[in-house]
């Protein structure tokens, strides 16, 4: 466990130094993804790849009407929801496969080494289609009732975790459902008087999050621990490598809290009320507000103000990519010079 008060006194305090900037009106673009060696931005009819000097590496025309573009760790996906087609591109913009569903598609998301495609079975039932990254269909699940809001895939690719919103009764219910990848329901668990906002596998355990509660279950549905949060969860990030949950929540005050996989608090710190997002990279935690960036780790504390309103941040090993409405700023972490 690390101590924030000790970090504030650490001599290795850092700041951000502007390396380069790209003057781009980001209001014209509908999406952005930051990778270690390129930035991808999406306009209504084009995907553009930029290097960190602002040079265009490649462009890809999008021919679908009202397309949805989703970025994964490995591939880029173009969803033609009207024609029911998914096109997968590699990170060089080259098409590697496509799949025609011949029916409307709700959404797509990459989880682990799988692509999850949400469609309908008939007019009413939600269907979850699971592909490997080569474009082969490896699993299929049809929900008898309820709406699939999100999914996650186990590390061994044998189980699927689904966040289900059940509207069959007068009372809205949220469910956590566990399925085998070939569509067999293993178990489901109702959540009373609350709506699930996030579900995730953490190794062989199952995390379920509502706006003010966190639960961890084992794969046999046994509750391992349950943590009520004194306030509303604003953001949550799962640090798989360090087996911990990092959350930002607000009640009378706003707090950052790090919770271990066994449910114990490792660190809790009151933070600026303007903080809205958590980003993690290696052992670093970054907290971002409208015009503020904090960085926390064992040997770094960053307290940085920016003049423009921040839309999002990309965290690389030694750089932060700061996206504002006015453009993209490439910033490097450097030691703060002492007076």
């Amino acid at each position: 466990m690390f101590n924030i008060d000790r970090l504030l006194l650490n001599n290795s305090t850092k700041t951000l130094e502007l390396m380069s900037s790209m003057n781009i009106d980001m209001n014209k673009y509908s999406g952005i993804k930051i990778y270690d060696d390129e930035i991808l931005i999406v306009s209504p009819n084009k995907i553009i790849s930029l290097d960190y000097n602002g040079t265009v590496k490649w462009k890809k025309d999008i021919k679908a009407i009202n397309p949805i573009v989703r970025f994964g760790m490995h591939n880029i996906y173009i969803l033609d929801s009207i024609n029911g087609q998914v096109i997968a591109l590699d990170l060089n913009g080259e098409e590697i496969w496509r799949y025609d569903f011949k029916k409307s598609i709700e959404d797509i998301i990459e989880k682990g080494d799988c692509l999850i495609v949400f469609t309908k079975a008939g007019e009413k039932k939600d269907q979850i289609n699971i592909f490997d990254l080569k474009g082969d269909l490896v699993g299929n699940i049809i929900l008898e009732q309820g709406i699939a809001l999100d999914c996650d895939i186990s590390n061994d690719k044998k189980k699927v975790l689904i966040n289900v919103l059940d509207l069959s009764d007068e009372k809205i219910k949220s469910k956590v459902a566990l399925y085998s990848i070939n569509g067999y329901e293993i178990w489901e668990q109702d959540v009373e008087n609350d709506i699930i906002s996030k579900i995730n596998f953490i190794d062989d355990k199952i995390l379920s999050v509502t706006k003010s509660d966190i639960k961890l279950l084992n794969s046999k549905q046994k509750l391992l621990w349950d943590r009520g949060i004194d306030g509303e969860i604003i953001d949550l990030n799962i640090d798989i490598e360090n087996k911990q949950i990092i959350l930002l929540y607000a009640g009378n005050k706003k707090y950052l809290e790090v919770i271990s996989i066994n449910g114990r608090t490792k660190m809790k710190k009151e933070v600026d009320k303007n903080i809205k997002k958590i980003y993690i990279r290696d052992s670093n935690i970054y907290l971002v507000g409208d015009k503020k960036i904090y960085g926390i780790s064992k040997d770094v504390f960053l307290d940085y103000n920016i003049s423009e309103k921040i839309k999002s941040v990309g965290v690389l090993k030694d750089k932060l990519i700061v996206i504002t409405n006015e453009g993209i700023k490439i910033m490097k972490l450097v030691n703060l010079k002492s007076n």
Side-chain angles (χ1 to χ4, degrees), residues 1-4 6-7 258 266-267 285 296-298:
M1 179 172 66
F2 51 83
N3 185 297
I4 288 292
R6 180 177 62 80
L7 289 174
V258 179
K266 297 176 69 175
M267 184 270 287
I285 301 172
I296 303 162
S297 79
K298 292 180 180 180

Side-chain angles (χ1 to χ4, degrees), residues 229-232 234 249-255 273:
I229 302 300
D230 186 18
E232 182 174 345
I234 307 301
Y249 62 93
N252 293 331
K253 298 180 179 180
K254 189 169 281 189
Y255 291 96
K273 289 185 177 181

Side-chain angles (χ1 to χ4, degrees), residues 149-150 163 174 194-199 208-213 233:
L149 300 180
D150 194 14
N163 177 8
S174 225
D194 216 339
I195 301 297
I196 299 168
S197 58
K198 189 177 184 67
I199 46 104
S208 170
V209 181
T210 69
K211 66 180 181 180
S212 58
D213 186 81
I233 297 174

Side-chain angles (χ1 to χ4, degrees), residues 71-311:
F71 296 110
M73 292 294 295
H74 311 281
N75 295 335
I76 307 160
Y77 305 96
I78 301 172
L79 165 59
D80 183 340
S81 59
I82 295 175
N83 294 315
Q85 185 180 78
V86 176
I87 301 170
L89 313 176
D90 63 20
L91 297 185
N92 294 314
E94 299 295 329
E95 182 176 326
I96 51 178
W97 58 265
R98 67 173 60 200
Y99 194 94
D100 290 305
F101 283 89
K102 297 183 173 62
K103 57 183 176 181
S104 64
I105 303 172
E106 305 290 323
D107 205 351
I108 53 177
I109 184 171
E110 189 185 280
K111 288 289 185 80
D113 293 328
C114 293
L115 178 69
I116 301 168
V117 183
F118 298 89
T119 63
K120 290 288 186 183
E123 295 182 359
K124 295 183 178 179
K125 295 181 180 180
D126 274 24
Q127 181 169 326
I128 297 155
N129 311 275
I130 303 158
F131 292 79
D132 64 23
L133 298 187
K134 297 178 182 179
D136 295 323
L137 183 66
V138 297
N140 187 283
I141 297 166
I142 296 175
L143 297 181
E144 291 303 316
Q145 63 182 31
I147 301 168
L149 300 180
D150 194 14
C151 291
D152 198 16
I153 307 291
S154 61
N155 289 338
D156 61 8
K157 309 296 184 293
K158 293 181 178 180
K159 297 184 181 68
V160 182
L161 186 64
I162 309 175
N163 177 8
V164 181
L165 185 63
D166 188 351
L167 306 174
S168 58
D169 297 331
E170 292 183 1
K171 189 176 183 180
I172 296 174
K173 289 190 298 185
S174 225
K175 294 181 180 181
V176 179
L178 185 66
Y179 281 78
S180 67
I181 199 166
N182 58 9
Y184 173 74
E185 183 181 295
I186 300 170
W187 54 258
E188 67 176 35
Q189 184 176 99
D190 291 344
V191 175
E192 299 293 338
N193 303 318
D194 216 339
I195 301 297
I196 299 168
S197 58
K198 189 177 184 67
I199 46 104
N200 270 92
F201 282 106
I202 302 180
D203 292 336
D204 60 343
K205 299 176 179 64
I206 293 166
L207 183 73
S208 170
V209 181
T210 69
K211 66 180 181 180
S212 58
D213 186 81
I214 303 174
K215 291 183 175 68
L216 194 72
L217 312 170
N218 66 16
S219 59
K220 296 182 179 179
Q221 204 178 355
K222 180 182 177 182
L223 180 65
L224 300 176
W225 54 262
D226 186 351
R227 286 281 303 266
I229 302 300
D230 186 18
E232 182 174 345
I233 297 174
I234 307 301
D235 195 20
L236 182 144
N237 213 312
I238 301 168
D239 183 350
I240 296 294
E241 182 179 350
N242 294 305
K243 301 290 191 300
Q244 60 188 18
I245 302 154
I246 304 165
L247 67 149
L248 179 70
Y249 62 93
N252 293 331
K253 298 180 179 180
K254 189 169 281 189
Y255 291 96
L256 171 73
E257 188 166 354
V258 179
I259 300 173
S260 69
I261 194 69
N262 60 15
R264 296 192 181 95
T265 296
K266 297 176 69 175
M267 184 270 287
K268 181 178 177 180
K269 174 68 179 175
E270 182 181 349
V271 298
D272 191 306
K273 289 185 177 181
N274 292 316
I275 297 300
K276 297 177 180 178
K277 289 289 294 180
I278 300 168
Y279 299 86
I280 60 173
R281 176 78 184 222
D282 301 325
S283 60
N284 293 346
I285 301 172
Y286 292 93
L287 305 177
V288 177
D290 284 342
K291 296 184 177 181
K292 191 83 171 177
I293 303 173
Y294 292 104
I296 303 162
S297 79
K298 292 180 180 180
D299 58 359
V300 175
F301 186 82
L302 172 70
D303 183 348
Y304 189 83
N305 294 299
I306 190 167
S307 60
E308 301 166 15
K309 187 174 181 180
I310 300 169
K311 293 187 68 166

